Structure formats: structure tokens, C-alpha cells
Amino acid sequence: MQKINRGSRFNKSVRVGVLLCLLCTVIVAGGCGSGESNVASGNREGILYWGNGAEPQELDPHIVTGVPEHYILIALLEGLVQKDAATLQPQPAVAERWRLSADGRVYTFTIRASARWSNGDRLTAHDFVWSWMRALTPKLGNAYAYMFNPIVNAQAYATGELTDFSAVGVKALDDLTLQVTLDNPTPYFLQLLDHYSMFPVHRATIEKFGSIGEAGTVWTRAGNYVGNGPFALRQWDLNKKVIVEKNLLYWDAENVRLSGIHYFPTENLTTEERMFRAGQLHRTSEVPVGKLDFYREQQPDSLRIAPYLGTYFYRFNTRLPHLADVRVRKALAMTVDREAIVEHVLRGGQQPAYSITPPDTLGYTASSDLRYDVLAARELLAAAGYPDGAGFPPVDILYNTFEQHRKIAVAIQQMWKQALNIDVTIRNQDWKVYLDTQANGNFQIARAAWIGDYVDPNSFLDMWIADGGNNRTGWSDPDYERLVSDEAPSAGSVEQRYAILGEAESILLDAMPIIPIYHYVSIHLVHPSVKGLPGNLLNNPNFKHIYLQAEPAAP
């Protein structure tokens, strides 16, 4: 899924409110009004205050693609399985159990008889069939439709080649039995099922406000939203906060220890860090680079840094004439000094990236010839018709509003000027606008990132097929698609599968429609009262297991 980091439109009134609250924190012990901070009252009332990084694009699981939306959707909705927050192993969720056929192709899920929607309606296997049909409806434009590709005929239906959904390998055998048939044994299939793109949605609610293929209707607003997760949507104040409260009709409500969650978008990391220090947040989305040493030395118990299965990269729009030339793309990629970026700009333990898939992803590591080589890059640019940058067309880097993205863009802007003598402008847009700009192809080079949706190299490679909704580069290659979509899924062993995926990634890196820059670590500030939030490779919380436990007051 797309890593946002920042990009909300935190309006003027909210900024003023935050500053006033911080001022009150200095004058009054605790915070504004009641004299009690969010953290103090939240610990007492079971309310988690969560820095979410951005205003969500939407709360429709079949539309969105980002991390900020993910954190809200996993509270409001639940799939057939969930991942253990520590081990990431699939566990029963809406499905209380399942069995797999001897040939590894047919899963049969038993839906919990106690599963309910937040309005009290019974949740059945038919809800999953209809929801997955919606997710694959071409008119809806689900960028994650390719997640369903392991299922028989799912890709054909999503592309419009097939119009009869009954031919897709998803069947409700009865109200509580769902059968899913795959083209080939898929070792990561269960991991897919807790991704929001495969969550069920409430059919009657969708149809009340629009058609099955209609995006952007008001069904996702508070008062309309019907979910099946551990929490229910109570309030969505655009550009301010999203509030969810415990769903008493959730099948496992007795084990949900939080009473609610307040999600806050923040305009910049400095504001968010101040909110944390003022006791207004239990957890931040990230940490300002300039504050890392302070927390390492003064408050190490609040600083959480962990490995994170993600890659920061730039997308090329290969539809543009000068960026359609692979020599130009390689020259630009070879003059990004990744070591300097991670050492001097980021300083959080990130690793330079020379492939899209992070090294040792479940035992897979790509082979890459990408290197920092200014002389070779100048030769390539000259061969493309731009000796010493002469005649190179105007080019810009697009990024979503966030100070760290700006710093990286400025660094790369300077690197390209110094190494290749080309002039580059940089421009920023808010998260929603930025997403639309990329989706419509109105960019030249765009900042991007990808966090694994599941722990498998396929999560980083299957999106670059021609019809992949998250590709957005204009690049495609039939050999790449054959390897990823046909040969890898039917490989006879893990070793064979990884070899095929490695061959595909070599094609991708040789064509260079993207510039890998660095591999992520997750960096957050977390209040010591937050329990049940272990780090994991996907940085994926399980909100139903989180609870708040204030430390005893000092005598």
C-alpha cells in the first residue's frame, strides 16, 4: 500500500486550536479546558489518540490505497482472517476456521454464526461474494483489483473480459460457507485476506447511496457507515479528526479493550511531535529527524524504531518523450546518492535501495546492477542527445506535502544539477490532490513509496503489470507480466518461484520506470501507557488487542 507520511489539509482553525491547547498545557498542568491532557483522560476512559499522518482519501476499502486509510479501515471492517500483531501469522477472524484441498487450490471458509454488521444485520458468506464482485467491478476502478488475481477468473472479470461473476472462483455454498478456488496453489493467499481490499462491505448501505460500480458516494460518512469490525464510525470531521467507538455487536466485543480511537491528521511532524509532548497523542505517525537524537538520549522508552517492509522510490511517467528513453531514466537513477540521503537527510537507520523489493523478504533478495556512477550516467545522457544536460526539457519532481519529502527532493534536485547539469523544479500537493494527479498521469517524476501488503516479494512485483492500478508509470513489459502473472504462480517450489521473480525484477530494474531510493524503518513516538502494540515488519497494529495502562503515580 502507498506510504503517505504526511499530506493532510490541517485547516487554520485546527492549527489555532492545537497552538492554544499547547499554550494551555504550559499554563495549566495537563492541557486545555478540563486541565487534563488527551493521554491522561484517554488512559482513564480507554480512548486511544492516534497520529494518523494524513486526512484519509476515503473510507471505502475498495477505493483507497494508502496507509492512513488502512489504520482506520482495520478498525471499522474485518476480513476472513487477521494477522497476529507480533508474528503476522494468519488467524481466524470472520471465518472461524477453514480447510484447504489436497491440491492446494480450494479454500473452504466457515463464517462465524455470531458475525454481525454494526447495524445488527447478520453477516453471511453471500456478503463476501457480493463484496468481492464489487471490488472487481471494472467501473469502480479499484486500484487493488489485482490482489484477487490468484482466484479463478478474477482478473478476467476485473478487466471486463468476463462479465458473468458466477464464473469467478468465489461461491457461497450456504449462508456460513464460502468456497474460494485458485488457479494455482498460492502460499501467501491467506495473508491477502486481511487486506482492506478484500474486506466485506454492507450491500444494502452501498445500494442505498449508489450503484455497485459507483465510487465516492456518502455511504462512508458517519451516520451512514455500516461495518463489521471491532469499532464503528462515530464522527468524521474533514481535515480535523476521525472518531471510532467500540462496536458492541462485533463478534469478539468482549475482548476489545479500547472504548474508542481518535485519529488525527497533522500538517507537519513538528506539530505532531509537540502534540505528543503536550500529552495530546498516544502515538505519532513519525518523528522529526531533528528530534531523533533527543529521544534516543532523553526518552528512549518513547521512541520505537523497527524494520519495516517498505521502499521509498520515484516514479517516472514513461509516456513523456524524454522520460520514455531508458538511457535518461538510468542516468537519473545512477546519479542519486542513496548513501548520502540515508546518512544525512534521514538519519533513522534506513537502508539505501537498489531494488524495489527489500532484501531478505521471506528469504528473497533481488540481484541489482544499479549503482551510483556519475561518469556512466553522463555518458548515457549524452547518448540520449543531452550532452552535459544541453537541451534537456524542463522536468519537475512531484511530492505530497511533507517536510521530509521536500528535503529528499531538494537533495536529488541538487545531485542532478551537479552531476548532469539539468534543472529540476519541485512541487508539492496535498495527499488527495497528489493521488489524483498521479492517477491521471499529470506528472513527470513523482515521489512514491510502497509498503508490503503481505510478507512476500510478490507484494512488490505484481503491481507493475500493465493493468495494475498502482503502476501509474505507463511502463509494461510482456515478459515481465508472463513471469509474474503466469510462471511464478505455477512454480513447483519456493526456490523456482523466487528465481522467476528475480528474473522479473531484473527486467524491471533494467527498464528503470522507477528509482528505488531507500528501504524503510518504522519510526514512532509511543506513550508508555500503550500496551499490546508490538512492532512487526508490516507496522500493522491490531486495535482489538491494544489497551491503555497508565503508570502508577509517583509517591
Side-chain angles (χ1 to χ4, degrees), residues 50-373:
W50 185 272
N52 205 45
E55 172 68 20
Q57 177 194 21
E58 249 296 356
L59 294 180
D60 185 333
H62 303 154
I63 294 299
V64 301
T65 61
V67 172
E69 295 82 6
H70 164 80
Y71 287 136
I72 302 173
L73 287 170
I74 60 175
L76 298 175
L77 296 164
E78 185 176 82
L80 292 166
V81 307
Q82 60 187 338
K83 288 188 178 76
D84 181 276
T87 67
L88 296 177
Q89 290 301 309
Q91 295 181 324
V94 174
E96 63 182 358
R97 61 183 182 274
W98 54 85
R99 66 178 185 273
L100 178 60
S101 63
D103 65 358
R105 294 181 56 244
V106 181
Y107 285 86
T108 304
F109 298 91
T110 300
I111 307 297
R112 295 179 188 275
S114 58
R116 293 288 183 275
W117 293 99
S118 57
N119 69 346
D121 288 352
R122 187 184 183 198
L123 191 152
T124 71
H126 302 284
D127 289 313
F128 279 93
V129 174
W130 189 86
S131 297
W132 290 7
M133 179 171 68
R134 177 182 187 259
L136 291 169
T137 296
K139 185 179 177 182
L140 188 67
N142 181 3
Y144 263 122
Y146 62 86
M147 291 277 279
F148 293 80
N149 283 0
I151 300 173
V152 167
N153 284 328
Q155 184 175 15
Y157 189 86
T159 59
E161 179 184 344
L162 177 70
T163 58
D164 181 5
F165 192 76
S166 67
V168 177
V170 182
K171 303 285 185 291
L173 303 185
D174 56 46
D175 284 353
L176 298 180
T177 309
L178 181 72
Q179 184 182 82
V180 182
T181 304
L182 310 181
D183 282 311
N184 297 285
T186 305
Y188 54 86
F189 182 69
L190 287 177
Q191 290 197 57
L192 300 178
L193 298 178
D194 82 328
H195 187 268
Y196 52 73
S197 63
M198 304 189 92
F199 283 171
V201 291
H202 189 249
R203 178 176 182 174
T205 298
I206 300 292
E207 293 181 336
K208 178 180 178 180
F209 296 102
S211 66
I212 189 172
E214 188 175 357
T217 71
V218 296
W219 80 267
T220 58
R221 297 302 183 258
N224 300 337
Y225 206 102
V226 176
N228 73 314
F231 298 88
L233 182 63
R234 191 184 87 189
Q235 185 177 333
W236 184 2
D237 294 335
L238 295 177
N239 307 310
K240 295 180 182 179
K241 63 182 174 182
V242 174
I243 298 177
V244 302
E245 60 187 2
K246 182 176 178 178
N247 175 14
L248 298 179
L249 295 177
Y250 175 60
W251 66 268
D252 197 26
E254 64 180 17
N255 290 314
V256 177
R257 300 177 66 173
L258 290 174
S259 299
I261 308 168
H262 291 207
Y263 298 90
F264 288 89
T266 46
E267 188 178 43
N268 60 58
L269 288 181
T270 300
T271 298
E272 188 180 54
E273 188 270 336
R274 287 174 179 166
M275 291 175 71
F276 181 83
R277 279 192 285 120
Q280 303 309 309
L281 292 175
H282 281 104
R283 181 263 196 193
T284 66
S285 62
E286 293 207 27
V287 183
V289 171
K291 288 289 185 178
L292 286 173
D293 288 342
F294 169 80
Y295 282 99
R296 283 183 177 119
E297 296 169 6
Q298 303 296 325
Q299 297 183 33
D301 290 345
S302 296
L303 182 62
R304 304 275 185 92
I305 300 179
Y308 194 13
L309 191 68
T311 302
Y312 189 106
F313 62 95
Y314 277 3
R315 279 188 178 96
F316 286 115
N317 186 345
T318 65
R319 305 171 190 86
L320 302 177
H322 57 302
L323 298 179
D325 192 324
V326 68
R327 295 169 297 184
V328 170
R329 300 198 299 268
K330 286 186 174 182
L332 294 173
M334 293 168 67
T335 45
V336 173
D337 189 342
R338 294 155 181 82
E339 282 77 7
I341 289 173
V342 300
E343 182 177 350
H344 301 296
V345 179
L346 301 172
R347 298 172 49 208
Q350 296 86 350
Q351 297 297 315
Y354 297 92
S355 61
I356 187 63
T357 309
D360 196 21
T361 298
L362 208 64
Y364 168 90
T365 298
S367 175
S368 174
D369 294 328
L370 179 59
R371 65 194 186 279
Y372 180 66
D373 191 333

Side-chain angles (χ1 to χ4, degrees), residues 478-529:
D479 290 331
Y480 181 89
E481 294 197 29
R482 172 179 52 80
L483 292 167
V484 171
S485 300
D486 299 330
E487 294 193 17
S490 58
S493 68
V494 172
E495 293 76 15
Q496 289 176 347
R497 180 169 170 265
Y498 282 3
I500 293 168
L501 292 177
E503 184 180 349
E505 188 156 0
S506 293
I507 292 174
L508 178 72
L509 295 173
D510 188 56
M512 204 62 69
I514 57 172
I515 304 177
I517 298 175
Y518 70 86
H519 299 302
Y520 275 98
V521 292
S522 63
I523 307 177
H524 307 288
L525 298 175
V526 181
H527 193 272
S529 62

Side-chain angles (χ1 to χ4, degrees), residues 453-473:
D453 295 304
Y454 48 96
V455 186
D456 191 276
N458 192 72
S459 184
F460 290 85
L461 298 176
D462 66 351
M463 65 177 168
W464 305 111
I465 61 176
D467 295 324
N470 289 305
N471 185 337
R472 299 176 181 172
T473 64

